Amino acid sequence: MALLPPPSLAGIVRYFHIECASGGEVLVPATPCPEITFFIAGGSRLMLEAGLGPLIDRPMLGGPQTVPALVHWEAGTTFISALIEPGQFGRLFDADLVELRNFPVPVEAYLPHLPIRELEDGLRASRDPHYWLTLLSDWLLGLLAQRAGRVRPAFALPPGMLFQPTDDIATRCGLSVRQLERGMLASYGQSLRDERKMWRYVRALSMMLSLPPRRGLLTRIAMDCGYHDQAHMIRDFIHFTGRRPGSLLEEDDGSGLLRLFRYDDPHRQVVTGQV
């Protein structure tokens, strides 16, 4: 399930992802959105060359995921994640997004002061996904209220500015190029160049998920999303998902490996920003 946040969190939370009673291997694609996840049942292990990593079954924070990851969900795994809008993470958490990039960490180890026990108990006491969303939304709003006036305004580029020339962005923000890059790393967890590359891929993936298959679709998407050509888009997709864009949406052997690309409407519309 992918559910929109309440209006009070619009612009801070992109959407909530809720997984119910799942299990097995899953491909997690790259995403520019940091997140916080609460497990209600089961847990997740990173699949490493040497075998499965340690079980993660407690609340965790993650920065932007810049490469795909293979994970193994324990049978019956249930969780809710809040995907935070890029540039807004610092309004909620005192965390270094560069440190968290591609490396989720337990909340209680990284930010031991956060009040998570009561929220965990409330989530695990209910079976209603919409109630989980309400609990987590209220908790996040509480963090915002506590931090109001105590943190600097988040450095976030206005919509549509990301792909403007770097010098023009810096001038409009009243910064030097060096200050702009420092702000990007602090608020987004990656450089301006890498953020542009990721958002180009995100836009292309959203179009692939939204549009019906047809001849020439990938070429049209590549052009519309600013790639030099289709080969350029293919290279980026392999980097961010481990799959070529065409095979990514065609492969479905029933294993559930690509379940995070298999949202049905209206959840797909939430993920792709069509609502």
Side-chain angles (χ1 to χ4, degrees):
M1 300 175 66
L3 301 175
L4 288 172
S8 51
L9 285 173
I12 298 172
V13 174
R14 178 163 290 251
Y15 65 87
F16 292 92
H17 174 91
I18 297 176
E19 196 72 32
C20 295
S22 293
E25 297 180 11
V26 182
L27 174 65
V28 180
T31 175
C33 296
E35 64 182 75
I36 184 167
T37 295
F38 286 82
F39 288 93
I40 295 159
S44 178
R45 298 177 188 268
L46 188 63
M47 299 181 67
L48 308 170
E49 290 185 6
L52 293 177
L55 179 67
I56 301 174
D57 60 358
R58 299 298 311 283
M60 66 178 186
L61 279 175
Q65 184 77 25
T66 65
V67 292
L70 275 175
V71 301
H72 183 274
W73 290 342
E74 302 289 296
T77 290
T78 301
F79 63 83
I80 179 170
S81 297
L83 281 83
I84 310 301
E85 291 280 6
Q88 300 297 323
F89 198 70
R91 294 182 62 183
L92 293 163
F93 307 108
D94 292 313
D96 186 332
L97 280 179
V98 177
E99 287 184 357
L100 296 179
R101 188 171 58 203
N102 303 326
F103 190 67
V105 299
V107 171
E108 57 192 352
Y110 195 81
L111 297 175
H113 64 282
L114 281 186
I116 59 174
R117 291 289 183 173
E118 184 177 349
L119 174 58
E120 273 193 288
D121 291 344
L123 291 170
R124 290 176 173 171
S126 172
R127 295 180 179 272
D128 181 357
H130 293 278
Y131 181 64
W132 300 337
L133 186 149
T134 297
L135 286 182
L136 183 50
S137 295
D138 289 346
W139 185 79
L140 293 171
L141 287 169
L143 291 184
L144 282 174
Q146 292 171 15
R147 293 167 62 81
R150 295 196 296 110
V151 296
R152 290 181 301 173
F155 173 81
L157 295 179
M161 189 184 287
L162 183 64
F163 289 94
Q164 293 181 9
T166 301
D167 288 343
D168 290 353
I169 297 174
T171 299
R172 288 190 60 183
C173 292
L175 303 170
S176 68
V177 171
R178 185 176 179 84
Q179 289 172 325
L180 172 64
E181 288 291 359
R182 286 202 299 265
M184 289 296 300
L185 282 175
S187 291
Y188 290 78
Q190 56 185 342
S191 69
L192 178 60
R193 177 180 180 274
D194 289 340
E195 189 74 12
R196 286 168 170 158
K197 180 178 178 180
M198 179 168 283
W199 274 108
R200 192 165 49 224
Y201 137 78
V202 167
R203 184 182 175 199
L205 179 60
S206 295
M207 291 180 69
M208 288 174 57
L209 291 171
S210 303
L211 299 174
R214 66 176 186 272
R215 186 178 180 85
L217 176 62
L218 294 182
T219 300
R220 178 58 186 271
I221 289 175
M223 292 176 58
D224 288 350
C225 294
Y227 288 101
H228 299 306
D229 51 31
Q230 189 172 333
H232 182 198
M233 183 173 75
I234 290 172
R235 289 195 298 272
D236 273 13
F237 266 72
I238 291 174
H239 174 79
F240 288 124
T241 71
R243 296 289 194 280
R244 296 170 66 90
S247 64
L248 187 67
L249 299 184
E250 293 170 0
E251 294 176 9
D252 188 1
D253 59 5
S255 68
L257 180 67
L258 301 179
R259 74 188 70 188
L260 294 181
F261 299 91
R262 303 286 186 234
Y263 289 95
D264 294 324
D265 285 333
H267 308 290
R268 181 192 292 113
Q269 295 175 323
V270 171
V271 173
T272 59
Q274 301 299 309
V275 294

